[in-house]
Amino acid sequence: MSRSENLRPGSVIEWAMSTSELCSPQSASAPSFRRAMSALAGGVTIVTTRDRAAAPCGLTATATCLVSHEPPLLLVCVARDADCHAAFLEADAFALHLLRAGQEPLARRFAARDPRKFDGLSTEVGRLGPPLLPGGLGVVECRVVERHGAGDHTIVIGRAEAWRIAAEEGDGPLLYYRRAYGRLAAPDG
């Protein structure tokens, strides 16, 4: 039988998972789920805002996505144990920075729990107030419109009100896959 013939509900998933670990609700664990989700490649971003005292805050995130074109909405998932979670709970705005392949050191810097993430960086104040980082493929400034608790994260939804896109893409986007940073391969051609 070919893979596309006589499929029953669930048979595609069973076939795809037959050569790897299949978890049931009884055997599933957070580390196992984390390992499974590491197969989902994601674009690397840095999300910045300001805390109550107007100090810059930020973190590296791959759990970001477009929610809607009309109105223009984005979301970012912020871990409840992130050092800047409280700032994202109170902030009116945030900036989503789309990183270039060569910006892995910056991504690692903002992934760390360190109050000095912004030390030595040349930033500017965005139209909505969040700090804007140099370089990157682009930046989108958003006004917060909703927040939702979801497990060990808070989903922050923002309406895009200002954005800039780089004139040149260079090496393309920075990606995260299987717990490692990477880049797109050049197309064969």
Side-chain angles (χ1 to χ4, degrees), residues 52-151:
R52 185 179 289 178
C57 299
L59 55 87
T60 298
T62 56
T64 61
C65 74
L66 169 72
V67 174
S68 168
H69 289 107
E70 209 38 63
L73 300 174
L74 300 176
L75 72 72
V76 59
C77 297
V78 180
R80 291 181 193 263
D81 64 354
D83 58 354
C84 55
H85 181 260
F88 281 96
L89 284 180
E90 298 175 349
D92 294 330
F94 63 86
L96 181 75
H97 301 81
L98 311 171
L99 299 188
R100 293 179 185 273
Q103 292 184 298
E104 181 179 337
L106 191 63
R108 288 184 181 282
R109 179 180 192 160
F110 276 82
R113 291 180 160 276
D114 187 344
R116 300 165 297 166
K117 293 176 187 179
F118 287 87
D119 287 2
L121 291 179
S122 173
T123 63
E124 61 182 270
V125 177
R127 199 181 108 212
L128 301 178
L132 302 182
L133 301 171
L137 293 174
V139 61
V140 182
E141 290 186 67
C142 297
R143 184 155 323 275
V144 175
V145 294
E146 292 181 47
R147 291 179 185 87
H148 302 278

